[in-house]
Amino acid sequence: PRPSTATIRGSVLDTSNRPLPFAQVLLASEERVEVMVTRLVRANANGQFEVRDLPAASYKVVASKPGYFPVRGGDVNGLAQVLSGDSIPVAQGQTREGIEIRLMKWGSLAGVVRDEFDDPVQGASVRLLQIRYEAGQRRLVPATALFPTTDDLGRYRLYALPPGPYIVSAAPSGTSPSTSVPGYALSFFPGTTVASQAAFVTVDEGRDVANINIALSRTPTFRVSGRLLDSAGVGTTGGSVQLMPSQRSTSVTSIPGRARILPDGRFEFANVLPGTYLVQAYRGRSNGWTEGEFGTLTVAVANSDVADLVLQMARGSTISGRISFDTTDPSSRPVRSDIEFSPIPSDFDQTPQSNWATPDIRDDWSFTIEGINGPRRLQLRRAPPGWALKEVRVNGIDITDRPVSFGRSEQSLSGVDVVLTNRVSRLAGVVKRSVAGASNVNVIAFSTDRNRWYSTSRFVRRAVTEAEGRFSIEGLPFGSYYVTALTQIPIDGDDAWQDPALLESLVGRASSLTVREGETATIGLSLP
């Protein structure tokens, strides 16, 4: 066995550089030594911790304390730090000192829900929402998994909140519009049923926000109902049915509502406000390469109930073909498990919102994807190291980056050739702040062609700078690009940095260059 002679010492601090007494610190080795090494220690009254007798290895270090969150990225108040969850390598006999782990104090939000007579509403369900960029659109989504209900005085309190802007909603009962009391639609702070008119509530770090009072009011609502059929035309209860805003909406729209499905396949949505909606049904994937049956229809709600809708799902189309390689070395092949591509929706109104299939790649590099509905682009979601997508062809026709319609059996594609190349382009550079290099900075490269600013586009890429501000992006297709550096990217969704509105705002401050296949382009960027 390797001797256990290493030591790690450090402190747990808050984002104002104050020690956090008695915080818990967990160390876990990232690679196997003889056995996995884990140590749990408690900081002292000054927030200091020490872990002795460690084998040489790299350790993940995570700190926690009730009332605090781990800091997971970026600078905090300009402080360079070890983030909670970062890796710390330590050699045999080495002592690593001065490790500083910072935690962020959470916030809370409280208020009262009242009805149209200004009386408190007991048992009202309160939801905390955020605007997130998902599926190519900004949507309202739950910010927490908790849906607290009001007490006998109409009071509620939401806690353990990270800093950020929120929207608060309430309904007399239930956790969705479809289960609310008839005559009441979901209401948003301070007292509107229109999501785009809701007021934002900002929770700062460690702040307790009070008096976020919501006024409920009665408003005309309607019922949307119909029958769900499977691909054979038989009533079914399988799958989820949602009423959701259209991607074509230009404003922030309401959150999706799930239907109540009856045993004979009938579905219904209660308390629906006037507007234009999508009803989507999806059975989810049956395996990694097969999407389930899917159907969608558009519904306009005016001043009466909408009944007798028929939503029939389709089995979808099949995509089959093989992966080939453009390389000067015929023996050069990547690892199959490193390749992940999917038919990504180009119109989310006509396709499932998520859970898209990935191919079943066989030993001979052939593949099959089944159950595909709606317009899609075949996109490489994860490339093997040193490889990139060159083109996608069907019987000699180039369909790279082009939307293709699927759904019916006659829309299936065979003979699809997905070509990977190891003649990979590379964009490299350094981001500097004043004189020194700036680490942990986001670099975004995006095509100068705005038609290529779509969800998961390979023409829009991001990297995070390493030591001395260096960064590298591999696999950009040939073309002209804007490149810029950001200290912070939007927090409203993992894909929010791809939002065309954000990219448009960055054009004026970006540098530009041309990337050519198989070559390395270099650029220098600076921050204030």
Short mmCIF file of all heavy atoms in Angstrom, two decimals, residues 170-231:
data_model
loop_
_atom_site.label_atom_id
_atom_site.label_comp_id
_atom_site.label_asym_id
_atom_site.label_seq_id
_atom_site.Cartn_x
_atom_site.Cartn_y
_atom_site.Cartn_z
N ALA A 170 -49.52 31.94 -7.17
CA ALA A 170 -50.35 31.26 -6.17
C ALA A 170 -51.67 30.85 -6.81
O ALA A 170 -52.14 31.47 -7.77
CB ALA A 170 -50.60 32.17 -4.97
N ALA A 171 -52.24 29.78 -6.27
CA ALA A 171 -53.57 29.32 -6.66
C ALA A 171 -54.26 28.82 -5.40
O ALA A 171 -53.59 28.37 -4.44
CB ALA A 171 -53.48 28.21 -7.70
N PRO A 172 -55.61 28.86 -5.34
CA PRO A 172 -56.30 28.49 -4.11
C PRO A 172 -56.00 27.08 -3.62
O PRO A 172 -56.03 26.84 -2.42
CB PRO A 172 -57.78 28.65 -4.48
CG PRO A 172 -57.77 29.67 -5.55
CD PRO A 172 -56.53 29.41 -6.34
N SER A 173 -55.73 26.13 -4.52
CA SER A 173 -55.38 24.78 -4.08
C SER A 173 -54.67 24.09 -5.21
O SER A 173 -54.73 24.51 -6.36
CB SER A 173 -56.62 23.98 -3.68
OG SER A 173 -57.47 23.77 -4.80
N GLY A 174 -53.98 22.98 -4.91
CA GLY A 174 -53.30 22.22 -5.93
C GLY A 174 -51.98 22.85 -6.33
O GLY A 174 -51.62 23.94 -5.90
N THR A 175 -51.25 22.16 -7.17
CA THR A 175 -49.93 22.63 -7.60
C THR A 175 -49.88 22.98 -9.07
O THR A 175 -48.83 23.24 -9.60
CB THR A 175 -48.87 21.54 -7.31
OG1 THR A 175 -49.23 20.34 -8.02
CG2 THR A 175 -48.78 21.24 -5.84
N SER A 176 -51.01 23.00 -9.75
CA SER A 176 -51.02 23.39 -11.17
C SER A 176 -52.37 23.99 -11.49
O SER A 176 -53.36 23.79 -10.78
CB SER A 176 -50.75 22.18 -12.06
OG SER A 176 -51.88 21.33 -12.11
N PRO A 177 -52.47 24.75 -12.60
CA PRO A 177 -53.74 25.35 -12.98
C PRO A 177 -54.85 24.33 -13.15
O PRO A 177 -56.02 24.63 -12.92
CB PRO A 177 -53.40 26.05 -14.30
CG PRO A 177 -51.94 26.30 -14.25
CD PRO A 177 -51.37 25.16 -13.48
N SER A 178 -54.52 23.11 -13.55
CA SER A 178 -55.55 22.11 -13.81
C SER A 178 -56.21 21.58 -12.55
O SER A 178 -57.23 20.91 -12.61
CB SER A 178 -54.96 20.94 -14.61
OG SER A 178 -53.94 20.31 -13.88
N THR A 179 -55.62 21.85 -11.38
CA THR A 179 -56.22 21.37 -10.13
C THR A 179 -56.68 22.51 -9.24
O THR A 179 -56.97 22.30 -8.07
CB THR A 179 -55.20 20.50 -9.36
OG1 THR A 179 -54.02 21.27 -9.11
CG2 THR A 179 -54.81 19.26 -10.16
N SER A 180 -56.74 23.74 -9.77
CA SER A 180 -57.14 24.89 -8.97
C SER A 180 -58.65 24.94 -8.80
O SER A 180 -59.41 24.28 -9.50
CB SER A 180 -56.65 26.19 -9.63
OG SER A 180 -55.25 26.18 -9.75
N VAL A 181 -59.07 25.79 -7.85
CA VAL A 181 -60.50 26.00 -7.61
C VAL A 181 -61.12 26.65 -8.84
O VAL A 181 -60.55 27.59 -9.39
CB VAL A 181 -60.69 26.89 -6.37
CG1 VAL A 181 -62.15 27.26 -6.19
CG2 VAL A 181 -60.16 26.17 -5.13
N PRO A 182 -62.28 26.16 -9.33
CA PRO A 182 -62.90 26.77 -10.51
C PRO A 182 -63.11 28.27 -10.34
O PRO A 182 -63.49 28.74 -9.27
CB PRO A 182 -64.24 26.02 -10.61
CG PRO A 182 -63.99 24.71 -9.93
CD PRO A 182 -63.02 25.01 -8.83
N GLY A 183 -62.86 29.02 -11.43
CA GLY A 183 -63.04 30.46 -11.40
C GLY A 183 -61.80 31.23 -11.01
O GLY A 183 -61.77 32.45 -11.09
N TYR A 184 -60.77 30.51 -10.55
CA TYR A 184 -59.51 31.15 -10.21
C TYR A 184 -58.41 30.61 -11.12
O TYR A 184 -58.18 29.40 -11.15
CB TYR A 184 -59.11 30.87 -8.75
CG TYR A 184 -59.90 31.63 -7.72
CD1 TYR A 184 -60.96 31.02 -7.05
CD2 TYR A 184 -59.55 32.93 -7.37
CE1 TYR A 184 -61.68 31.71 -6.08
CE2 TYR A 184 -60.27 33.62 -6.40
CZ TYR A 184 -61.33 33.00 -5.77
OH TYR A 184 -62.03 33.69 -4.81
N ALA A 185 -57.77 31.47 -11.83
CA ALA A 185 -56.59 31.07 -12.60
C ALA A 185 -55.35 31.28 -11.73
O ALA A 185 -55.40 31.91 -10.68
CB ALA A 185 -56.49 31.89 -13.88
N LEU A 186 -54.24 30.72 -12.18
CA LEU A 186 -52.97 30.96 -11.49
C LEU A 186 -52.68 32.46 -11.48
O LEU A 186 -52.74 33.12 -12.51
CB LEU A 186 -51.86 30.20 -12.23
CG LEU A 186 -50.52 30.07 -11.53
CD1 LEU A 186 -50.64 29.20 -10.29
CD2 LEU A 186 -49.49 29.48 -12.49
N SER A 187 -52.39 33.00 -10.29
CA SER A 187 -52.13 34.44 -10.14
C SER A 187 -50.66 34.66 -9.84
O SER A 187 -50.00 33.85 -9.19
CB SER A 187 -52.98 35.03 -9.02
OG SER A 187 -54.35 34.95 -9.34
N PHE A 188 -50.15 35.80 -10.32
CA PHE A 188 -48.75 36.14 -10.15
C PHE A 188 -48.63 37.44 -9.35
O PHE A 188 -49.48 38.32 -9.47
CB PHE A 188 -48.07 36.32 -11.52
CG PHE A 188 -48.15 35.12 -12.40
CD1 PHE A 188 -49.20 34.96 -13.31
CD2 PHE A 188 -47.19 34.12 -12.33
CE1 PHE A 188 -49.28 33.86 -14.12
CE2 PHE A 188 -47.27 33.00 -13.14
CZ PHE A 188 -48.32 32.87 -14.04
N PHE A 189 -47.57 37.53 -8.55
CA PHE A 189 -47.32 38.73 -7.78
C PHE A 189 -47.16 39.91 -8.73
O PHE A 189 -46.46 39.82 -9.73
CB PHE A 189 -46.06 38.55 -6.92
CG PHE A 189 -45.62 39.79 -6.22
CD1 PHE A 189 -46.25 40.23 -5.07
CD2 PHE A 189 -44.56 40.55 -6.73
CE1 PHE A 189 -45.83 41.38 -4.43
CE2 PHE A 189 -44.13 41.71 -6.09
CZ PHE A 189 -44.78 42.12 -4.94
N PRO A 190 -47.82 41.06 -8.40
CA PRO A 190 -48.58 41.35 -7.18
C PRO A 190 -50.06 40.96 -7.25
O PRO A 190 -50.71 40.87 -6.23
CB PRO A 190 -48.43 42.86 -7.05
CG PRO A 190 -48.32 43.34 -8.46
CD PRO A 190 -47.58 42.27 -9.21
N GLY A 191 -50.59 40.73 -8.46
CA GLY A 191 -51.99 40.34 -8.56
C GLY A 191 -52.48 40.35 -9.98
O GLY A 191 -53.38 41.11 -10.34
N THR A 192 -51.87 39.52 -10.83
CA THR A 192 -52.26 39.45 -12.23
C THR A 192 -52.30 37.99 -12.66
O THR A 192 -51.56 37.16 -12.13
CB THR A 192 -51.27 40.23 -13.13
OG1 THR A 192 -51.64 40.08 -14.50
CG2 THR A 192 -49.85 39.72 -12.95
N THR A 193 -53.17 37.70 -13.62
CA THR A 193 -53.22 36.34 -14.18
C THR A 193 -52.42 36.24 -15.48
O THR A 193 -52.36 35.18 -16.08
CB THR A 193 -54.68 35.94 -14.46
OG1 THR A 193 -55.26 36.89 -15.36
CG2 THR A 193 -55.48 35.88 -13.17
N VAL A 194 -51.80 37.35 -15.89
CA VAL A 194 -51.01 37.38 -17.13
C VAL A 194 -49.53 37.29 -16.75
O VAL A 194 -48.98 38.19 -16.10
CB VAL A 194 -51.27 38.67 -17.92
CG1 VAL A 194 -50.45 38.68 -19.21
CG2 VAL A 194 -52.76 38.81 -18.23
N ALA A 195 -48.88 36.19 -17.15
CA ALA A 195 -47.51 35.95 -16.73
C ALA A 195 -46.57 37.06 -17.15
O ALA A 195 -45.66 37.44 -16.40
CB ALA A 195 -47.03 34.61 -17.29
N SER A 196 -46.78 37.62 -18.35
CA SER A 196 -45.87 38.66 -18.83
C SER A 196 -45.99 39.96 -18.05
O SER A 196 -45.14 40.84 -18.16
CB SER A 196 -46.11 38.92 -20.31
OG SER A 196 -47.45 39.34 -20.54
N GLN A 197 -47.06 40.09 -17.22
CA GLN A 197 -47.24 41.29 -16.41
C GLN A 197 -46.79 41.08 -14.96
O GLN A 197 -46.94 41.98 -14.14
CB GLN A 197 -48.70 41.73 -16.44
CG GLN A 197 -49.20 42.13 -17.82
CD GLN A 197 -50.67 42.46 -17.85
OE1 GLN A 197 -51.35 42.46 -16.83
NE2 GLN A 197 -51.19 42.76 -19.04
N ALA A 198 -46.27 39.92 -14.66
CA ALA A 198 -45.81 39.64 -13.29
C ALA A 198 -44.61 40.51 -12.94
O ALA A 198 -43.79 40.84 -13.81
CB ALA A 198 -45.46 38.16 -13.15
N ALA A 199 -44.50 40.86 -11.67
CA ALA A 199 -43.36 41.65 -11.19
C ALA A 199 -42.27 40.71 -10.69
O ALA A 199 -42.55 39.68 -10.05
CB ALA A 199 -43.80 42.58 -10.07
N PHE A 200 -41.02 41.06 -10.99
CA PHE A 200 -39.90 40.28 -10.48
C PHE A 200 -39.64 40.62 -9.03
O PHE A 200 -39.78 41.77 -8.61
CB PHE A 200 -38.64 40.55 -11.30
CG PHE A 200 -38.62 39.88 -12.64
CD1 PHE A 200 -38.99 40.57 -13.77
CD2 PHE A 200 -38.24 38.56 -12.76
CE1 PHE A 200 -38.98 39.97 -15.02
CE2 PHE A 200 -38.22 37.93 -13.99
CZ PHE A 200 -38.59 38.64 -15.12
N VAL A 201 -39.23 39.62 -8.27
CA VAL A 201 -38.79 39.79 -6.89
C VAL A 201 -37.34 39.35 -6.83
O VAL A 201 -37.02 38.20 -7.15
CB VAL A 201 -39.64 38.97 -5.92
CG1 VAL A 201 -39.12 39.15 -4.49
CG2 VAL A 201 -41.10 39.34 -6.02
N THR A 202 -36.45 40.25 -6.43
CA THR A 202 -35.03 39.93 -6.38
C THR A 202 -34.64 39.53 -4.97
O THR A 202 -34.89 40.25 -4.01
CB THR A 202 -34.18 41.13 -6.83
OG1 THR A 202 -34.52 41.45 -8.18
CG2 THR A 202 -32.71 40.81 -6.75
N VAL A 203 -34.03 38.36 -4.88
CA VAL A 203 -33.50 37.87 -3.60
C VAL A 203 -31.99 38.01 -3.65
O VAL A 203 -31.33 37.39 -4.48
CB VAL A 203 -33.90 36.41 -3.35
CG1 VAL A 203 -33.26 35.90 -2.06
CG2 VAL A 203 -35.42 36.27 -3.29
N ASP A 204 -31.44 38.85 -2.81
CA ASP A 204 -29.99 39.01 -2.72
C ASP A 204 -29.42 37.96 -1.77
O ASP A 204 -30.15 37.34 -0.99
CB ASP A 204 -29.62 40.41 -2.23
CG ASP A 204 -30.04 41.48 -3.23
OD1 ASP A 204 -29.94 41.23 -4.44
OD2 ASP A 204 -30.47 42.57 -2.78
N GLU A 205 -28.11 37.80 -1.83
CA GLU A 205 -27.46 36.81 -0.98
C GLU A 205 -27.76 37.05 0.49
O GLU A 205 -27.54 38.14 1.02
CB GLU A 205 -25.95 36.83 -1.21
CG GLU A 205 -25.20 35.81 -0.37
CD GLU A 205 -23.71 35.92 -0.53
OE1 GLU A 205 -23.26 36.60 -1.47
OE2 GLU A 205 -22.99 35.35 0.30
N GLY A 206 -28.30 36.02 1.15
CA GLY A 206 -28.56 36.09 2.58
C GLY A 206 -29.71 36.99 2.98
O GLY A 206 -29.92 37.22 4.17
N ARG A 207 -30.48 37.49 2.03
CA ARG A 207 -31.53 38.45 2.35
C ARG A 207 -32.86 37.74 2.58
O ARG A 207 -33.22 36.81 1.86
CB ARG A 207 -31.67 39.45 1.20
CG ARG A 207 -32.75 40.51 1.44
CD ARG A 207 -32.95 41.36 0.21
NE ARG A 207 -34.10 42.26 0.35
CZ ARG A 207 -34.71 42.84 -0.66
NH1 ARG A 207 -34.28 42.63 -1.90
NH2 ARG A 207 -35.74 43.63 -0.47
N ASP A 208 -33.60 38.20 3.59
CA ASP A 208 -34.95 37.73 3.85
C ASP A 208 -35.93 38.77 3.30
O ASP A 208 -36.01 39.89 3.81
CB ASP A 208 -35.18 37.52 5.35
CG ASP A 208 -34.28 36.44 5.92
OD1 ASP A 208 -34.12 35.40 5.26
OD2 ASP A 208 -33.73 36.65 7.02
N VAL A 209 -36.63 38.42 2.24
CA VAL A 209 -37.55 39.34 1.58
C VAL A 209 -38.96 39.09 2.11
O VAL A 209 -39.46 37.97 2.07
CB VAL A 209 -37.53 39.14 0.05
CG1 VAL A 209 -38.45 40.15 -0.63
CG2 VAL A 209 -36.11 39.27 -0.48
N ALA A 210 -39.60 40.13 2.62
CA ALA A 210 -40.93 40.00 3.21
C ALA A 210 -41.96 40.80 2.41
O ALA A 210 -41.62 41.56 1.50
CB ALA A 210 -40.91 40.47 4.66
N ASN A 211 -43.22 40.59 2.76
CA ASN A 211 -44.35 41.36 2.21
C ASN A 211 -44.53 41.17 0.71
O ASN A 211 -44.94 42.10 0.00
CB ASN A 211 -44.20 42.85 2.54
CG ASN A 211 -44.20 43.11 4.03
OD1 ASN A 211 -44.99 42.51 4.77
ND2 ASN A 211 -43.31 43.97 4.48
N ILE A 212 -44.22 39.96 0.23
CA ILE A 212 -44.53 39.64 -1.17
C ILE A 212 -45.94 39.05 -1.18
O ILE A 212 -46.14 37.84 -1.15
CB ILE A 212 -43.48 38.68 -1.76
CG1 ILE A 212 -42.09 39.27 -1.61
CG2 ILE A 212 -43.79 38.40 -3.23
CD1 ILE A 212 -41.92 40.65 -2.25
N ASN A 213 -46.91 39.95 -1.14
CA ASN A 213 -48.32 39.56 -0.98
C ASN A 213 -48.98 39.43 -2.35
O ASN A 213 -48.80 40.28 -3.23
CB ASN A 213 -49.05 40.61 -0.13
CG ASN A 213 -48.38 40.81 1.21
OD1 ASN A 213 -47.87 39.87 1.81
ND2 ASN A 213 -48.35 42.05 1.69
N ILE A 214 -49.76 38.37 -2.52
CA ILE A 214 -50.38 38.06 -3.80
C ILE A 214 -51.88 38.18 -3.66
O ILE A 214 -52.48 37.60 -2.74
CB ILE A 214 -50.00 36.65 -4.27
CG1 ILE A 214 -48.47 36.52 -4.34
CG2 ILE A 214 -50.63 36.34 -5.62
CD1 ILE A 214 -48.00 35.12 -4.65
N ALA A 215 -52.48 38.90 -4.59
CA ALA A 215 -53.93 39.06 -4.59
C ALA A 215 -54.54 38.15 -5.65
O ALA A 215 -54.22 38.25 -6.83
CB ALA A 215 -54.29 40.52 -4.88
N LEU A 216 -55.42 37.24 -5.19
CA LEU A 216 -56.16 36.38 -6.12
C LEU A 216 -57.42 37.11 -6.59
O LEU A 216 -57.98 37.93 -5.85
CB LEU A 216 -56.56 35.07 -5.45
CG LEU A 216 -55.44 34.21 -4.88
CD1 LEU A 216 -56.03 32.94 -4.27
CD2 LEU A 216 -54.42 33.85 -5.94
N SER A 217 -57.83 36.82 -7.78
CA SER A 217 -59.08 37.40 -8.26
C SER A 217 -59.77 36.41 -9.19
O SER A 217 -59.10 35.63 -9.88
CB SER A 217 -58.83 38.72 -9.01
OG SER A 217 -57.99 38.49 -10.13
N ARG A 218 -61.07 36.46 -9.17
CA ARG A 218 -61.83 35.59 -10.07
C ARG A 218 -61.76 36.13 -11.49
O ARG A 218 -61.77 37.33 -11.71
CB ARG A 218 -63.28 35.49 -9.61
CG ARG A 218 -63.46 34.71 -8.32
CD ARG A 218 -64.92 34.43 -8.03
NE ARG A 218 -65.07 33.66 -6.82
CZ ARG A 218 -65.04 32.33 -6.77
NH1 ARG A 218 -64.86 31.64 -7.89
NH2 ARG A 218 -65.18 31.69 -5.63
N THR A 219 -61.66 35.21 -12.43
CA THR A 219 -61.58 35.60 -13.83
C THR A 219 -62.19 34.49 -14.67
O THR A 219 -62.16 33.32 -14.25
CB THR A 219 -60.11 35.85 -14.24
OG1 THR A 219 -60.06 36.34 -15.57
CG2 THR A 219 -59.30 34.58 -14.17
N PRO A 220 -62.78 34.80 -15.80
CA PRO A 220 -63.35 33.74 -16.63
C PRO A 220 -62.28 32.75 -17.10
O PRO A 220 -61.26 33.14 -17.66
CB PRO A 220 -63.94 34.50 -17.83
CG PRO A 220 -64.12 35.89 -17.34
CD PRO A 220 -63.02 36.13 -16.36
N THR A 221 -62.48 31.49 -16.81
CA THR A 221 -61.59 30.43 -17.27
C THR A 221 -62.43 29.35 -17.94
O THR A 221 -63.64 29.26 -17.72
CB THR A 221 -60.79 29.81 -16.11
OG1 THR A 221 -61.70 29.25 -15.15
CG2 THR A 221 -59.92 30.86 -15.43
N PHE A 222 -61.75 28.51 -18.72
CA PHE A 222 -62.48 27.54 -19.53
C PHE A 222 -61.81 26.18 -19.45
O PHE A 222 -60.70 26.04 -18.95
CB PHE A 222 -62.57 28.04 -20.98
CG PHE A 222 -63.18 29.40 -21.09
CD1 PHE A 222 -62.38 30.54 -21.18
CD2 PHE A 222 -64.55 29.56 -21.05
CE1 PHE A 222 -62.93 31.81 -21.26
CE2 PHE A 222 -65.12 30.83 -21.13
CZ PHE A 222 -64.31 31.94 -21.23
N ARG A 223 -62.53 25.19 -19.94
CA ARG A 223 -62.07 23.81 -19.91
C ARG A 223 -61.69 23.38 -21.33
O ARG A 223 -62.42 23.65 -22.29
CB ARG A 223 -63.15 22.91 -19.35
CG ARG A 223 -62.74 21.45 -19.17
CD ARG A 223 -63.89 20.66 -18.57
NE ARG A 223 -64.28 21.21 -17.28
CZ ARG A 223 -63.73 20.88 -16.12
NH1 ARG A 223 -62.75 19.98 -16.10
NH2 ARG A 223 -64.14 21.42 -15.01
N VAL A 224 -60.56 22.72 -21.44
CA VAL A 224 -60.12 22.14 -22.71
C VAL A 224 -60.10 20.64 -22.54
O VAL A 224 -59.44 20.12 -21.62
CB VAL A 224 -58.72 22.67 -23.11
CG1 VAL A 224 -58.22 21.96 -24.36
CG2 VAL A 224 -58.75 24.17 -23.33
N SER A 225 -60.81 19.92 -23.39
CA SER A 225 -60.91 18.47 -23.21
C SER A 225 -60.95 17.77 -24.57
O SER A 225 -61.26 18.37 -25.61
CB SER A 225 -62.16 18.11 -22.40
OG SER A 225 -63.33 18.53 -23.07
N GLY A 226 -60.65 16.51 -24.55
CA GLY A 226 -60.66 15.72 -25.77
C GLY A 226 -60.29 14.29 -25.48
O GLY A 226 -60.37 13.83 -24.33
N ARG A 227 -59.84 13.60 -26.52
CA ARG A 227 -59.52 12.18 -26.39
C ARG A 227 -58.16 11.93 -26.99
O ARG A 227 -57.81 12.46 -28.06
CB ARG A 227 -60.57 11.32 -27.10
CG ARG A 227 -60.48 9.85 -26.74
CD ARG A 227 -61.73 9.12 -27.13
NE ARG A 227 -61.68 7.71 -26.73
CZ ARG A 227 -61.87 6.69 -27.56
NH1 ARG A 227 -62.18 6.92 -28.83
NH2 ARG A 227 -61.80 5.46 -27.13
N LEU A 228 -57.36 11.12 -26.28
CA LEU A 228 -56.02 10.77 -26.72
C LEU A 228 -56.04 9.40 -27.38
O LEU A 228 -56.54 8.42 -26.79
CB LEU A 228 -55.05 10.76 -25.53
CG LEU A 228 -53.60 10.37 -25.81
CD1 LEU A 228 -52.94 11.38 -26.74
CD2 LEU A 228 -52.82 10.26 -24.50
N LEU A 229 -55.52 9.31 -28.61
CA LEU A 229 -55.47 8.05 -29.35
C LEU A 229 -54.01 7.67 -29.60
O LEU A 229 -53.15 8.54 -29.80
CB LEU A 229 -56.18 8.17 -30.70
CG LEU A 229 -57.63 8.68 -30.69
CD1 LEU A 229 -58.16 8.75 -32.12
CD2 LEU A 229 -58.51 7.81 -29.81
N ASP A 230 -53.74 6.38 -29.61
CA ASP A 230 -52.40 5.93 -29.96
C ASP A 230 -52.26 5.91 -31.48
O ASP A 230 -53.18 6.30 -32.22
CB ASP A 230 -52.08 4.59 -29.32
CG ASP A 230 -52.98 3.46 -29.82
OD1 ASP A 230 -53.64 3.62 -30.87
OD2 ASP A 230 -53.02 2.41 -29.16
N SER A 231 -51.13 5.45 -31.97
CA SER A 231 -50.87 5.50 -33.42
C SER A 231 -51.81 4.59 -34.20
O SER A 231 -51.99 4.79 -35.41
CB SER A 231 -49.41 5.12 -33.70
OG SER A 231 -49.14 3.81 -33.22
#
